Amino acid sequence: ELEQTVLAAADAVVSVTPHIVDQLRARAPKNLGQDQFHLIPNGFDPAHFPDDPPPLADPFTIVHTGGLYHLRPVEPLLRILDAWFESHPERVGQVRVKLAGRATDEVKKAIEESPWSDRIELLGFVSHRRVRELIVSAHVNLLMIEQVRTAAWLYTGKVFEYIGARRPILTLGPDPSPLADLLRDTGLGMICSYESPEETGKTLECLFQEEKQNLPNPCEEQIQRFNACHQTGQLAGIFGEVAHLDRTS
């Protein structure tokens, strides 16, 4: 009832994920046309990222930012490392994993019991500035979508910081999904299944090899869609349209 009251009073509706926009359109009262709904997702502030990226970390570094808990457990990552290092044992000493964010006791125990515990660094909670330093210098930024029923609809805000860093993004999550399409469009994202650690290990090996050749090729036009300056212009355009309607009605 409250939602309908708000929508009935609106001249324009803005939301941050395709799923929410679609759901609001489907429930819209008659006063709102389909073109009065707008998608402006989360984005990144370009002022937070250097024009000249810093040197990459040494050795080859995989970074994950965000909490690890029962809906985003660490075991899938450990299975991926098992598969990768079994196929390429020479990589064990050439790879480091950095996990920034709070971790449950269960996560800490799983890491301690892993044969790769000396290659994994639990950083705990860190500042936003430190997060940005980590992701711009990572060889790969890891995005693990929560394993929930609505996973295909999720549009985690973290991904837009990763896009701003312009480093390869390895995503564990559903495909197809709007997020998977977005990541592929930027030229930064690779989508892997939680159920296929062997295939994900192969993807990491490809990224390891490609990094030696400096091959990442982001699509700057798509990345700029999530630049907060561009998005502010979009929002100002919507305000302008609404103001024009008010003057002519």
Side-chain angles (χ1 to χ4, degrees), residues 131-146:
V131 166
R132 298 196 305 270
E133 292 172 351
L134 288 166
I135 64 178
V136 298
S137 62
H139 293 82
V140 180
N141 285 311
L142 176 64
L143 182 67
M144 295 196 292
I145 302 302
E146 286 92 337

Side-chain angles (χ1 to χ4, degrees), residues 66-70 72 74 99-109 111 122-125:
L68 295 169
Y69 61 112
H70 68 289
R72 195 190 297 132
V74 76
L99 307 175
R102 293 187 176 91
T104 63
D105 290 340
E106 291 77 11
V107 166
K108 295 175 183 176
K109 181 179 179 182
I111 292 172
L122 265 174
L123 302 177
F125 181 82

Side-chain angles (χ1 to χ4, degrees), residues 34-190:
Q34 295 294 294
D35 60 350
Q36 290 172 272
F37 289 84
H38 306 272
L39 170 65
I40 301 181
N42 287 304
F44 65 89
D45 186 342
H48 288 167
F49 297 95
D51 293 330
D52 297 316
L56 295 180
D58 186 31
F60 185 93
T61 301
I62 302 167
V63 168
H64 177 273
T65 65
L68 295 169
Y69 61 112
H70 68 289
L71 294 179
R72 195 190 297 132
V74 76
E75 283 82 0
L77 172 59
L78 299 178
R79 288 193 289 270
I80 290 164
L81 295 178
D82 288 342
W84 188 19
F85 294 159
E86 182 178 351
S87 299
H88 297 274
E90 71 277 15
R91 298 290 176 248
V92 175
Q94 300 173 328
V95 172
R96 189 153 192 83
V97 179
K98 295 185 178 183
L99 307 175
R102 293 187 176 91
T104 63
D105 290 340
E106 291 77 11
V107 166
K108 295 175 183 176
K109 181 179 179 182
I111 292 172
E112 289 170 0
E113 294 176 350
S114 166
W116 323 120
S117 58
D118 64 332
R119 309 309 302 164
I120 301 173
E121 188 176 355
L122 265 174
L123 302 177
F125 181 82
V126 300
S127 69
H128 190 209
R129 179 187 295 274
R130 180 58 179 146
V131 166
R132 298 196 305 270
E133 292 172 351
L134 288 166
I135 64 178
V136 298
S137 62
H139 293 82
V140 180
N141 285 311
L142 176 64
L143 182 67
M144 295 196 292
I145 302 302
E146 286 92 337
Q147 298 182 66
V148 294
R149 181 180 57 83
T150 58
W153 305 338
L154 295 180
Y155 234 48
T156 173
K158 183 194 314 179
V159 72
F160 301 100
E161 292 274 279
Y162 281 6
I163 289 171
R166 293 172 173 79
R167 300 300 305 146
I169 303 167
L170 177 64
T171 301
L172 299 181
D175 187 16
S177 71
L179 182 60
D181 293 340
L182 177 158
L183 285 167
R184 274 192 285 264
D185 287 345
T186 64
L188 294 171
M190 291 127 285

